[in-house]
Amino acid sequence: MALQNDPDPKLAEYAHPERLVTTAWLAENLGADGLVVVESDEDVLLYETGHIPGSVKVDWHTELNDPTTRDYVDGARFAEICGERGITRDTTVVFYGDRNNWWATYALWVFSLFGHADVRMLDGGRAKWVAEGREMTTDAPKPEAVEYPVVERDDTAIRAFKDDVLTHLGKPLVDVRSPGEYSGELLHMPDYPQEGAVRGGHIPGAASVPWARAAAEDATFRSRAELAAIYEQEQGLSASDDVVAYCRIGERSSHTWFVLTHLLGFEHVRNYDGSWTEWGNAVRVPIVQGTERG
Amino acid sequence: MTLPPQLAELVDDFAAVTPKQRLELLLELSRELPELPERFADAAGTMEQVHECQSPLFLAVEVDDAERVHLFFSAPPESPTTRGFASIMHTGLDGEPATDVLAVPDDFYTALGLAQAVSPLRLRGMSAMLGRIKKQVRAATG
């Protein structure tokens, strides 16, 4: 059974307040039946240095990605990952992580591909929890294994592939990488052995909105009004638009996907996880170099 | 591959254990990274940032009169992987002759067997660290 929503007034402003919890709510609800807290970080060792009591770790690189195909794990593997962490199909899963919840939103997005119903972000993530001096532990939780059903991933609603983006050209695209990556000047960085691209630039028509603009100093999401000012007023996007967001491998853009979908209430946002490492290397796809949208 | 003895030992230690234990080893190393001496208190002003690392990492290199290399690193505790990489560099190379440091193969880190557990982008930080260390050693000995 899903837990009650966090009634915090800041969250109430967002289009889907049920997708967020505050640190205060989480502190009160830790240990509640039906709740599992998942830490997902950029730094693969950070969880081991201390985590929110009872929280379990999901590593984006080794656990959510299939080891051979460039794709996410299948339903059977996902069921194992969840089941061994005590997550059932009905569990309320609260995600948090380092670096403005960048990787936590990525994990939440992958859970959403599997249609896990009750997924929430901890507003402010790990940084805010620590800054408030809340309890951390190095004790490893020992969740009782549970049954998670094998569900087929649905890639149609919130995930875009290269061919989808080719047919999408002319409609709204958001490039969430740094300005240097957007213009293409960053390709001469040394040693990008496996995640680089042979050309720098951006997808034609893409607006440059670096993902971290959506985060405040304390790693919380900016207020609804501030987010609307960036994406709606400044960029001219609206909630009924068909939007594709991308970055380099699809992780930073999952943060923007979360913001547009759950905080601003956009109805049709897809994350192009192939992103620049695919597009910038693909034969016969158009790119634009420089700071103009193209 | 010829490595300075301490670094060779570390590589052997990593190679001898399972991928999961390699991460534990890295975590242990991250805890052993020495504190910065007072003279580097203002890291951003006096040290070189390794921008390739995903987390803020600063390093300083000194070469003494005997042409031995001394390494200093600053990385926040919330970046244990980056600290672990820095600690590998420190454990393996601190106090070694400049010529031996310059002779370390740029891809030595592949022998640590971390690629299964640590993404290429994270590992890239380690090769970048070595590159910058060598550059500073060359500048100091050139």
Side-chain angles (χ1 to χ4, degrees):
Chain A
M1 197 183 63
L3 273 75
Q4 291 209 321
N5 294 337
D6 183 341
D8 184 274
K10 179 208 169 193
L11 306 187
E13 292 175 8
Y14 295 125
H16 295 285
E18 75 279 10
R19 293 297 175 200
L20 281 169
V21 300
T22 57
T23 48
W25 182 94
L26 185 60
E28 266 173 43
N29 284 277
L30 274 187
D33 280 347
L35 170 71
V36 173
V37 183
V38 170
E39 174 160 349
S40 199
D41 295 319
E42 184 277 318
D43 194 300
V44 68
L45 291 175
L46 189 53
Y47 172 88
E48 281 74 15
T49 68
H51 47 262
I52 295 178
S55 66
V56 295
K57 169 184 176 176
V58 171
D59 186 78
W60 64 279
H61 176 55
T62 57
E63 296 183 304
L64 296 180
N65 284 289
D66 183 275
T68 50
T69 315
R70 185 173 171 186
D71 200 356
Y72 301 105
V73 292
D74 62 13
R77 180 70 191 120
F78 185 72
E80 285 173 12
I81 287 168
C82 291
E84 67 197 21
R85 286 167 178 74
I87 298 171
T88 72
R89 194 68 171 159
D90 299 324
T91 298
T92 297
V93 183
V94 171
F95 294 87
Y96 77 100
D98 60 356
R99 299 172 72 88
N100 296 338
N101 276 329
W102 167 0
W103 300 100
T105 48
Y106 189 44
L108 182 147
W109 178 74
V110 175
F111 270 62
S112 301
L113 289 175
F114 287 97
H116 192 94
D118 193 359
V119 287
R120 309 183 190 185
M121 288 301 312
L122 174 63
D123 196 23
R126 187 180 161 101
K128 186 158 193 281
W129 185 274
V130 171
E132 289 169 348
R134 296 185 187 273
E135 189 184 354
M136 298 285 275
T137 180
T138 53
D139 293 346
K142 295 183 183 60
E144 197 174 318
V146 294
E147 279 293 313
Y148 194 94
V150 175
V151 287
E152 200 175 331
R153 225 177 45 225
D154 178 4
D155 289 334
T156 57
I158 60 170
R159 185 180 186 194
F161 294 94
K162 183 175 116 253
D163 287 349
D164 300 328
V165 180
L166 279 167
T167 59
H168 184 86
L169 292 179
K171 291 189 213 164
L173 277 155
V174 182
D175 183 318
V176 316
R177 298 172 300 162
S178 60
E181 290 169 281
Y182 179 84
S183 67
E185 71 180 84
L186 267 192
L187 260 195
H188 41 71
M189 272 172 74
D191 310 324
Y192 244 92
Q194 292 176 62
E195 294 185 306
V198 293
R199 293 171 304 165
H202 56 268
I203 300 176
S208 173
V209 191
W211 69 282
R213 288 185 65 191
E217 285 287 307
D218 63 355
T220 56
F221 290 103
R222 292 199 179 278
S223 69
R224 172 95 188 241
E226 290 170 323
L227 294 174
I230 296 171
Y231 297 97
E232 294 174 350
Q233 281 97 57
E234 178 193 303
Q235 297 297 331
L237 298 170
S238 65
S240 58
D241 281 342
D242 179 2
V243 182
V244 170
Y246 72 95
C247 56
R248 196 178 50 82
I249 56 170
E251 14 69 312
R252 284 174 283 183
S253 45
S254 58
H255 190 275
T256 300
W257 168 84
F258 183 87
V259 168
L260 293 176
T261 301
H262 293 314
L263 305 187
L264 287 174
F266 281 45
E267 287 149 31
H268 194 207
V269 183
R270 284 172 294 167
N271 181 20
Y272 169 38
D273 60 277
S275 275
W276 195 255
T277 52
E278 178 179 49
W279 193 272
N281 283 318
V283 176
R284 280 195 159 172
V285 302
I287 69 162
V288 175
Q289 292 178 322
T291 54
E292 297 299 316
R293 277 193 190 195
Chain B
M1 172 156 80
T2 314
L3 296 177
Q6 294 275 2
L7 189 58
E9 200 178 312
L10 265 183
V11 168
D12 288 346
D13 288 349
F14 273 93
V17 297
T18 65
K20 192 165 179 291
Q21 290 167 323
R22 283 176 201 145
L23 280 184
E24 287 162 17
L25 201 51
L26 193 62
L27 183 62
E28 263 175 54
L29 282 161
S30 77
R31 296 190 175 116
E32 291 167 11
L33 185 67
E35 291 285 315
L36 267 187
E38 192 62 30
R39 65 183 188 281
F40 294 115
D42 175 22
T46 51
M47 303 177 81
E48 178 177 5
Q49 181 166 11
V50 182
H51 290 282
E52 292 87 344
C53 289
Q54 296 209 317
S55 327
L57 177 93
F58 295 86
L59 65 82
V61 180
E62 290 176 352
V63 179
D64 66 19
D65 294 343
E67 300 250 310
R68 285 183 181 272
V69 172
H70 301 282
L71 299 172
F72 305 92
F73 295 95
S74 165
E78 59 269 25
S79 306
T81 301
T82 303
R83 286 180 68 87
F85 291 166
S87 190
I88 288 174
M89 295 297 173
H90 188 269
T91 309
L93 300 178
D94 190 66
E96 293 297 329
T99 47
D100 292 3
V101 172
L102 291 174
V104 173
D106 292 337
D107 64 349
F108 87 93
Y109 66 88
T110 55
L112 296 167
L114 284 167
Q116 279 170 292
V118 180
S119 74
L121 189 67
R122 289 161 171 163
L123 281 175
R124 202 169 69 85
M126 187 141 49
S127 76
M129 246 182 252
L130 180 61
R132 286 168 190 261
I133 289 168
K134 285 187 179 181
K135 202 169 120 216
Q136 287 205 29
V137 170
R138 270 188 218 107
T141 55

